[in-house]
Amino acid sequence: MATPDNTTRWTVKVSKDTDIAVRSLLAQRGMKKGDLSKFIEDAVRWRVFEQTLSETRAAFSDLDPEALQDLIDEATEAVRHEHRQAIASPPKPES
């Protein structure tokens, strides 16, 4: 989540019905007015994730499932290899 020194202020408009629904939901869950920003940030992150996932699925929809799995395995192994290399060879301290 964002830290106080790493935030941007938004001004947004929503319908009165949406405002009431969200504030009612937050109140039912024992959340306070200040939790609205956290709720919105979480909702936006999920929406961005869902859209990215949908676009990615569409981009790879023509691939056969085995070929897609091979690509995923290859990418996963490459990232693991880089991670292992970084752990094995930590940066030297500057003098």
Side-chain angles (χ1 to χ4, degrees):
M1 214 34 100
T3 58
D5 60 340
N6 190 23
T7 60
T8 300
R9 183 170 296 277
W10 284 6
T11 301
V12 298
K13 291 183 181 182
V14 297
S15 70
K16 189 70 171 171
D17 289 342
T18 299
D19 180 57
I20 291 169
V22 169
R23 291 180 189 278
S24 295
L25 177 71
L26 295 178
Q28 289 170 1
R29 297 193 174 159
M31 301 171 93
K32 307 260 187 278
K33 181 179 178 182
D35 293 326
L36 179 60
S37 293
K38 293 175 193 166
F39 182 85
I40 291 170
E41 184 166 359
D42 188 47
V44 170
R45 285 179 185 269
W46 270 109
R47 183 67 175 142
V48 168
F49 175 74
E50 287 174 350
Q51 286 187 344
T52 302
L53 187 59
S54 177
E55 291 168 4
T56 302
R57 283 181 174 147
F60 289 99
S61 65
D62 60 336
L63 275 183
D64 141 278
E66 288 181 19
L68 181 57
Q69 188 61 54
D70 288 345
L71 282 174
I72 293 169
D73 292 344
E74 183 180 324
T76 302
E77 186 53 40
V79 170
R80 286 179 179 158
H81 178 73
E82 288 175 17
H83 185 68
R84 282 188 222 111
Q85 293 288 63
I87 290 172
S89 308
K92 295 182 176 139
E94 294 180 27
S95 29

